[in-house]
Amino acid sequence: MKKILGAIFILMTIISCNSTSEKEKELLEKENELLQRELELTNKEQNSESKEIELTKPKEIKEKKEPTQNDIIKETVVKTTGYTFDNFHISANRVGIFSKGMTINDVYNSIPKKQIKKTVGYGEFADDTYDDYEIYDSNMKKILVLTPKQNGNTNSKINRISVLDSRFRTTEKIGLNSTFGDLKQYYATDKISPDMEHIVLDVNHINAWFSIKKSELDEGWWNGNGIDKTKIPDNAKFDGITIWWK
């Protein structure tokens, strides 16, 4: 009997040990499964973050890209919008698009207001002031100055036009930087007068004054009675042209 009971005890011990071993094995397998799942989730999160980084990179590059030629052209077009002058002809009764008899109001109706700037012009004396209207091209380069007969009256007619751009020329191609030699081929000089720093040649044929700096004249240009034309070199250039409308 004792031998039988001993055998039963041993058998039960073996079964218990095997049962414990199998439970531990199951627990280990479950732990491995959990670890595997966590590893898979971690990998997915890392892959997702890397994709987000790849997607955001092109946006950053797009924001920092250099302007294209088309962008530069568009920006230039915006900056240069306005009235574009294409008439630069000087005659007795017209300078470009402006003609004798026009008022300052007519000028404002001819080109955009932003291309006109009213300033104060000064004569030889301190109290001698004028309303000057500076005219700018579409690139905001000053090209003309218009002066009416009356101050403070935009209905007043243009009295004079000062030419500041060498594109303005007569039919004979006389303009700023043309020479005395060029002028005398086509026009008679009706009168020559001295100014502060210039001599002024009056050409009635086109109602114009042409100015030359005294520094360009030969010595002895003033003979006591007036200006000696022979002392004006043919290569002396005009640095100012004024059209007068009375």
Side-chain angles (χ1 to χ4, degrees):
M1 184 67 179
K2 288 182 179 180
K3 289 182 179 181
I4 292 170
L5 290 172
I8 291 170
F9 179 77
I10 292 170
L11 181 61
M12 289 179 65
T13 301
I14 292 171
I15 292 170
S16 176
C17 288
N18 288 338
S19 176
T20 301
S21 177
E22 287 176 359
K23 287 180 179 180
E24 289 178 352
K25 185 177 180 181
E26 289 177 359
L27 288 173
L28 287 173
E29 287 177 353
K30 287 182 179 180
E31 288 180 358
N32 286 333
E33 287 178 2
L34 290 172
L35 288 173
Q36 186 66 28
R37 287 179 184 177
E38 289 179 357
L39 181 61
E40 288 176 357
L41 288 172
T42 302
N43 288 336
K44 285 182 179 179
E45 290 176 355
Q46 289 178 348
N47 290 335
S48 177
E49 289 177 356
S50 65
K51 285 180 181 179
E52 288 179 359
I53 292 171
E54 289 176 359
L55 289 171
T56 55
K57 280 184 178 179
K59 290 183 180 178
E60 294 176 356
I61 294 171
K62 186 176 181 180
E63 291 173 358
K64 295 180 181 179
K65 71 175 183 179
E66 294 296 326
T68 64
Q69 188 67 24
N70 287 336
D71 294 334
I72 295 171
I73 291 171
K74 288 178 182 177
E75 184 178 356
T76 303
V77 169
V78 170
K79 288 182 178 179
T80 59
T81 53
Y83 181 83
T84 301
F85 288 84
D86 56 6
N87 183 345
F88 299 98
H89 184 245
I90 297 174
S91 67
N93 299 315
R94 179 175 287 274
V95 177
I97 64 171
F98 305 111
S99 59
K100 186 176 181 179
M102 288 182 68
T103 67
I104 297 302
N105 277 333
D106 294 331
V107 174
Y108 276 109
N109 291 328
S110 300
I111 62 176
K113 191 174 181 179
K114 68 178 182 179
Q115 290 176 239
I116 305 170
K117 181 181 178 181
K118 182 182 177 182
T119 61
V120 178
Y122 295 92
E124 294 183 9
F125 305 101
D127 296 335
D128 195 8
T129 60
Y130 311 97
D131 286 346
D132 283 343
Y133 292 84
E134 298 174 348
I135 305 300
Y136 295 81
D137 65 11
S138 58
N139 294 313
M140 298 311 294
K141 175 188 176 184
K142 186 163 63 174
I143 58 175
L144 298 169
V145 178
L146 313 182
T147 306
K149 293 181 179 181
Q150 298 176 356
N151 290 344
N153 182 6
T154 55
N155 286 317
S156 180
K157 294 179 180 180
I158 299 170
N159 183 44
R160 71 182 180 194
I161 297 182
S162 300
V163 177
L164 307 178
D165 192 308
S166 59
R167 290 175 292 179
F168 288 94
R169 293 179 174 272
T170 67
T171 301
E172 297 77 18
K173 307 302 181 185
I174 306 299
L176 290 174
N177 297 322
S178 295
T179 65
F180 178 62
D182 297 329
L183 181 73
K184 69 183 184 179
Q185 290 184 57
Y186 303 102
Y187 303 117
T189 305
D190 302 289
K191 182 181 177 182
I192 305 177
S193 306
D195 200 349
M196 293 290 290
E197 298 179 355
H198 299 81
I199 62 168
V200 179
L201 291 76
D202 188 350
V203 180
N204 285 334
H205 179 67
I206 53 173
N207 299 322
W209 285 5
F210 294 83
S211 63
I212 298 174
K213 287 184 178 179
K214 291 178 179 178
S215 59
E216 293 213 40
L217 306 179
D218 293 335
E219 289 186 9
W221 59 269
W222 181 261
N223 60 18
N225 296 318
I227 296 171
D228 185 352
K229 281 187 180 182
T230 64
K231 300 298 182 179
I232 306 175
D234 283 347
N235 63 356
K237 292 183 178 180
F238 302 121
D239 69 341
I241 300 174
T242 304
I243 307 299
W244 289 90
W245 291 331
K246 298 179 180 178

